[in-house]
Amino acid sequence: ILAGLAVLFVLYMLILWVLGRRSPFFFVKNTYDALLLAFSTSSSAAVMPLSIRIADERLGVRPSLSQFIIPLGATINMAGTALYQGGATIFLAQVYEVDLSLASLALVVATAVSTSIGAPATPGVGIVILATILESAGIPASGVAILIGVDRILDMARTSLNVTGDLTACVVTVSYTHLRAHETKAN
């Protein structure tokens, strides 16, 4: 799970560099406070005011954009949570020796993505949603007990990734609006 979250972080940094036209080092340096708070609280909702302030003051995002994108992202941008739920389901399927067909894997992915959209931005909610996904895949929900010991650490990492995605979306949107403004002036 941590390796998958690291890959998604690198992907966000590439998106930031290519589409947002910003250095990943500049981004991490200026968003470090929000990422650290996300890591320590495991709550996108708790980080929202700081993320908005950082987007406005350090990343050059207009308040009207940051106040729309960050709360929206805290609600629907749960890529880290979806990755965790999919990976945990596959892990528990192996533990319980449940053979998941390709169709079952597709269902797990679809369910993980759809349930993570709109999930509350509070600590520990991913483990509750995971129990539902496990039941739909024919895996005993009691398997959640195996993950409880490491869930807090994984929750901290996936929340940091989710906040990174929200702030990346702000920067990319600003870059896109600047590009569109220059195109309009050129015409």
Side-chain angles (χ1 to χ4, degrees), residues 18-94:
V18 173
L19 298 178
R21 296 188 174 110
R22 296 276 178 95
S23 162
F25 300 109
F26 168 84
F27 178 83
V28 171
K29 177 183 170 199
N30 285 291
T31 62
Y32 181 77
D33 300 345
L35 301 180
L36 187 59
L37 184 61
F39 187 79
S40 63
T41 63
S42 296
S43 172
S44 299
V47 182
M48 216 181 307
L50 180 60
S51 294
I52 290 171
R53 187 166 49 89
I54 286 173
D56 297 347
E57 296 173 5
R58 297 182 192 170
L59 299 178
V61 178
R62 288 192 326 258
S64 60
L65 279 176
S66 65
Q67 291 172 9
F68 174 73
I69 292 172
I70 290 175
L72 181 65
T75 305
I76 65 170
N77 175 32
M78 300 289 187
T81 304
L83 183 136
Y84 164 74
Q85 291 169 347
T89 301
I90 292 169
F91 169 74
L92 290 173
Q94 291 173 348

Side-chain angles (χ1 to χ4, degrees), residues 101-178:
S101 66
L102 191 56
S104 295
L105 284 173
L107 178 65
V108 165
V109 169
T111 306
V113 170
S114 63
T115 57
S116 65
I117 294 172
T122 54
V125 77
I127 201 87
V128 175
I129 294 170
L130 178 61
T132 307
I133 294 171
L134 293 174
E135 286 294 325
S136 72
I139 302 166
S142 60
V144 167
I146 296 170
L147 300 174
I148 295 250
V150 295
D151 182 64
R152 178 65 177 167
I153 295 165
L154 297 174
D155 195 9
M156 294 162 70
R158 63 184 182 254
T159 302
S160 296
L161 180 77
N162 292 341
V163 170
T164 300
D166 300 343
L167 290 166
T168 299
C170 283
V171 171
V172 169
T173 303
V174 166
S175 178
Y176 179 76
T177 45
H178 284 298

